[in-house]
Amino acid sequence: MSTTLTGLTSAEIAELLAVKPFQGRQIFKWLYQKKVFDFEAMTDLSKPLRSTLKTAYAGHTLELVEMQVCARTGTKKALLRLHDGESVESVLIRDHDRVTLCVSSQVGCALKCDFCATGLAGFTRNLDCAEIIEQVLFLLAGEPMGDRTPNIVFMGMGEPFRNYDTVMKTIHLMMDKEGLGIGARKITVSTAGDIPGIQKFAHEEHQVRLSVSLHAANNTLRSRLVPLNRKYPLEDLRDAILYYQETCGRQITFEWTVLQDVNDSVQDAKELLQFMQHIQASVNLIPWNPVQGLPYAPARMDRCQAFSDTLARAGVACTIRREKGQDIDAACGQLRRTHAV
Ligand code: SAH
């Protein structure tokens, strides 16, 4: 396997190649702004540099196996093969002018949330920077974005806080103005409630958003749905979130995957309100996306609505996320499983 230049800053590229900083920036722009991976096509580089690059480096590390596009919604799902034969999926969701990319941070996941497809096959390994950023580059290549930048959510496979340093470095790469130039507030890291990760994230200087996947606000139910709750129960999670907000002052979002007759009642909404006291947060209800073999059903829309109304009456902003990729199995948090690569 030859080394790739994706996943590196322009300064790191210049250092690795022992070229001038401006040449590092030229290559960086080809990769991130033009999404060109073919060194021959990087026409402002000298011929000798181009041929050195061609012999010693690969343009990208991921191989695109398949890109499914939903004609009705414009949702795209990329199935990408890693150098060791593993695979990841990433999704682009279009909502009018708004484009959201859902990226993976790990192959598989160790947390095994009871309703999630990713944990079923267990945890394989962390992704590196190149493998995360290339998901974005592959999805954006050829996508008519104009001057707009996409939103990025770490809601694909894996727990981003279990791959903390790599995810933070990749976020900086995404924000680099000479590259993708994505604003910090357009990037969201979603955690199942990893307390050390939340505490560390409180001290990051950028304004990247935090989402906490809650799904239940009593310990009995949450420990069943999110086994990580046995290690970090709700009281401790609440303290960590309060610490986060005291430290950085940023609002968060609670994700609540709504499962029929499990966590979709008005009583569940009231428990959530209780939990949220003194926390500045909005709530995202995600109707469960069916996963074959798992004993759950998506909550009915009238139940989601009643849940949402309960929150709204208490002054909490709540959105019901209507999945846009169901017909190609492309909902975030539900990736890869239907394919054998
Ligand atoms: N580990 C992180 C990020 C990955 S999952 C986390 O837990 O936040 C992103 C979101 O999708 C989480 O809220 C997760 O609980 C949710 N999710 C997982 N499987 C789902 C499914 N089948 N339907 C709907 N939401 C799902």
Side-chain angles (χ1 to χ4, degrees), residues 109 111 113 115-118 154-160 190-193 211-215 255-258 286-291 321 323 331-334:
C109 185
L111 301 186
C113 295
F115 52 86
C116 176
T118 304
F154 281 85
M155 292 191 187
M157 295 195 304
E159 166 56 39
S190 179
T191 178
S211 251
V212 176
S213 297
L214 205 63
H215 314 309
E255 304 288 326
W256 192 282
T257 294
V258 210
I286 320 165
W288 185 64
N289 232 337
V291 178
R321 201 203 290 166
E323 293 299 353
C332 295
Q334 200 216 358

Side-chain angles (χ1 to χ4, degrees), residues 251-288:
Q251 224 198 315
I252 67 158
T253 306
F254 286 119
E255 304 288 326
W256 192 282
T257 294
V258 210
L259 306 157
Q260 180 177 290
D261 296 331
V262 174
N263 64 353
D264 62 346
S265 70
V266 166
Q267 178 56 29
D268 291 302
K270 287 184 177 159
E271 285 177 3
L272 171 57
L273 284 172
Q274 182 71 28
F275 179 81
M276 284 178 69
Q277 271 186 19
H278 308 300
I279 296 177
Q280 302 300 316
S282 59
V283 175
N284 217 342
L285 298 181
I286 320 165
W288 185 64

Side-chain angles (χ1 to χ4, degrees), residues 124-231:
T124 307
R125 69 171 173 87
N126 281 332
L127 295 178
D128 64 24
C129 282
E131 290 165 332
I132 300 175
I133 199 90
E134 284 185 23
Q135 296 172 52
V136 174
L137 299 178
F138 273 100
L139 284 171
L140 288 180
E143 189 68 21
M145 294 294 291
D147 308 334
R148 285 166 299 120
T149 52
N151 298 285
I152 307 278
V153 295
F154 281 85
M155 292 191 187
M157 295 195 304
E159 166 56 39
F161 282 165
R162 291 282 173 100
N163 189 11
Y164 192 93
D165 293 342
T166 301
V167 166
M168 292 311 135
K169 181 174 179 205
T170 311
I171 285 173
H172 280 108
L173 274 178
M174 290 169 174
M175 290 166 52
D176 195 315
K177 289 205 168 59
E178 286 184 296
L180 293 165
I182 301 172
R185 287 180 209 191
K186 299 188 84 174
I187 303 174
T188 302
V189 176
S190 179
T191 178
D194 182 83
I195 288 182
I198 296 171
Q199 288 167 337
K200 234 167 148 182
F201 198 60
H203 296 279
E204 296 291 339
E205 272 168 21
H206 49 55
Q207 303 232 31
V208 173
R209 292 177 191 272
L210 176 66
S211 251
V212 176
S213 297
L214 205 63
H215 314 309
N218 72 70
N219 278 320
T220 312
L221 179 58
R222 191 162 194 273
S223 291
R224 176 152 76 82
L225 298 178
V226 183
L228 187 65
N229 193 69
R230 295 170 204 160
K231 187 168 182 193

